[in-house]
Amino acid sequence: MNVMRPIRSVDDLEQAGLIDAGEALSLEAVAARYAIALTPTMAKLIDRSDPADPIARQFVPDMVELVVTPEERADPIGDHAYSPVEGIVHRYPDRVLLKAVHVCPVYCRFCFRREMVGPQGLGTLDAAALDAAFAYIRDHREIWEVILTGGDPLVLSPRRLEEMLSALADIDHVKIVRFHTRVPVVDPLKIDEALIAALKASGKTVYVALHANHPRELTAEARAACARLVDAGVVLVSQSVLLKGVNDDPDVLAALMKAFVETRIKPYYLHHPDLAPGTSHFRLTIAEGQKIVAALRGRISGLCQPTYILDIPGGHGKADIGRNAVREIGEGCYSISDYRGGEHIYPPEG
């Protein structure tokens, strides 16, 4: 079915042939809690004849999202605890997140900020909040990198992006600006000359971390969008989430990482799924994830190897759980070392 406009409701899903009439009524309860959005690009990729389609699994809601397990939490990686002013998360000494917008072109069913994003979420920072955020960055000279995230910052117009990036231009101690986005994959035509010029408006070194989880997402159009960015001098790295039913297979994961490298994107992070509410059906155990990641070594080039990480619940930062940061201390229970040397039980007690 040819979908010509964004899908933003259960009715839209039914009209697009992505759910049947019998599912629609029950899924309204999911939609009332968590935002729905698919771009026409993503809707077109879904194989409607495959009930286990990995693209549909990422974006089409499921009743199991209403099942919340005891260890899940609204702020699974502890953003709020490290937010000194609205829109800023300062968890690590030399970098901050700038969450200027809390909307996305698509809403992932496993999103770790699902309680904060969407039409019912935290919205877009107003001028006063942005001024306060930039003042914080200006006053903290240890900040070397600013990471624009949200939400997806590339939903903003080139004009809005250029205004924000120009505000960073005069902050000398900021050297790197990074954008976390799905846009080159889910809405590739949005990556045009005007947007690319806006991304570079700060005069800083620009990185884009592209989120994709399955090799089918890297269509010819997506690869062309990435090429436009790379050819303009923007460095691309990848972010993926290890998801049950999407990419929890060494062959699929290898194909994804190879597709990144072929597109001139350096594989960066492979995230263990966070403890966001209603996402237990996506989560593997850490041991299962380690086994899949280990299967990549020797199978594909070193250029294609991501770092398998866990964001330790409570705001304790990222740990490389493909290596020595994790010890199994019981069945399904682990001790995780954070970057400061602290030890944390995972999953935490509910």
Side-chain angles (χ1 to χ4, degrees):
M1 182 176 292
N2 189 17
V3 178
M4 301 300 294
R5 59 184 180 83
I7 292 171
R8 301 191 184 280
S9 69
V10 172
D11 283 346
D12 290 346
L13 288 167
E14 185 180 356
Q15 290 174 22
L18 295 171
I19 60 172
D20 60 38
E23 296 173 289
L25 184 60
S26 59
L27 286 176
E28 289 289 358
V30 180
R33 180 162 184 183
Y34 304 119
I36 294 171
L38 286 85
T39 58
T41 298
M42 286 295 100
K44 185 171 69 173
L45 277 182
I46 293 172
D47 180 355
R48 288 154 176 79
S49 68
D50 181 4
D53 181 77
I55 309 300
R57 185 166 170 82
Q58 294 182 66
F59 303 115
V60 176
D62 190 302
M63 285 299 296
V64 75
E65 293 176 48
L66 297 179
V67 177
V68 178
T69 60
E71 70 272 15
E72 292 176 343
R73 48 193 69 189
D75 182 19
I77 69 170
D79 277 355
H80 293 322
Y82 290 89
S83 184
V85 298
E86 185 181 4
I88 292 287
V89 178
H90 195 175
R91 182 179 287 107
Y92 302 101
D94 71 338
R95 56 204 183 274
V96 295
L97 303 182
L98 174 56
K99 299 195 292 183
V101 63
H102 288 87
V103 295
C104 300
V106 294
Y107 291 111
C108 304
R109 310 320 303 170
F110 50 88
C111 178
F112 69 97
R113 292 195 180 110
R114 63 193 327 216
E115 299 275 4
M116 309 173 201
V117 300
Q120 74 276 45
L122 300 180
T124 301
L125 294 188
D126 61 24
L130 274 174
D131 286 346
F134 288 126
Y136 181 89
I137 295 168
R138 193 175 297 110
D139 291 344
H140 288 74
R141 297 193 58 81
E142 72 274 22
I143 297 172
W144 174 79
E145 180 182 23
V146 175
I147 303 167
L148 281 88
T149 183
D152 192 318
L154 298 198
V155 301
L156 295 170
S157 68
R159 179 186 61 80
R160 289 289 307 280
L161 282 169
E162 187 169 355
E163 288 173 356
M164 288 195 298
L165 272 294
S166 295
L168 292 173
D170 296 329
I171 305 178
D172 184 63
H173 55 271
V174 173
K175 305 298 184 184
I176 308 294
V177 179
R178 191 196 323 174
F179 298 86
H180 287 181
T181 184
R182 263 193 179 272
V183 166
V185 161
V186 304
D187 192 8
L189 293 182
K190 188 173 173 61
I191 308 300
D192 58 16
E193 289 184 6
L195 184 71
I196 293 170
L199 298 184
K200 300 176 71 177
S202 68
K204 314 292 184 181
T205 300
V206 178
Y207 281 73
V208 166
L210 176 66
H211 176 187
N213 299 312
H214 193 276
R216 275 171 43 205
E217 295 175 54
L218 289 164
T219 62
E221 294 82 6
R223 293 181 189 226
C226 293
R228 291 192 289 274
L229 288 164
V230 175
D231 290 344
V234 176
V235 183
L236 268 63
V237 297
S238 76
Q239 290 203 106
S240 303
V241 186
L242 186 59
L243 299 167
K244 186 181 292 186
V246 175
N247 56 19
D248 58 330
D249 175 280
D251 290 334
V252 173
L253 203 57
L256 174 63
M257 297 303 147
K258 284 184 173 182
F260 282 139
V261 172
E262 291 164 7
T263 312
R264 295 183 284 173
I265 302 168
K266 177 65 182 82
Y268 182 38
Y269 280 156
L270 176 64
H271 293 263
H272 190 77
D274 294 309
L275 298 173
T279 63
S280 62
H281 55 298
F282 285 109
R283 290 197 297 273
L284 303 81
T285 67
I286 288 176
E288 288 170 333
Q290 288 174 321
K291 183 176 180 180
I292 292 168
V293 172
L296 295 182
R297 298 194 179 100
R299 180 183 300 220
I300 54 175
S301 166
L303 290 173
C304 303
Q305 304 291 336
T307 300
Y308 181 36
I309 63 157
L310 172 75
D311 259 303
I312 303 172
H316 300 289
K318 293 178 174 63
D320 179 352
I321 57 172
R323 299 175 184 264
N324 297 325
V326 57
R327 294 184 296 113
E328 188 165 11
I329 57 176
E331 187 175 351
C333 186
Y334 305 86
S335 176
I336 311 289
S337 300
D338 66 30
Y339 72 100
R340 300 183 186 92
E343 295 277 329
H344 308 274
I345 302 302
Y346 181 88
E349 295 182 357

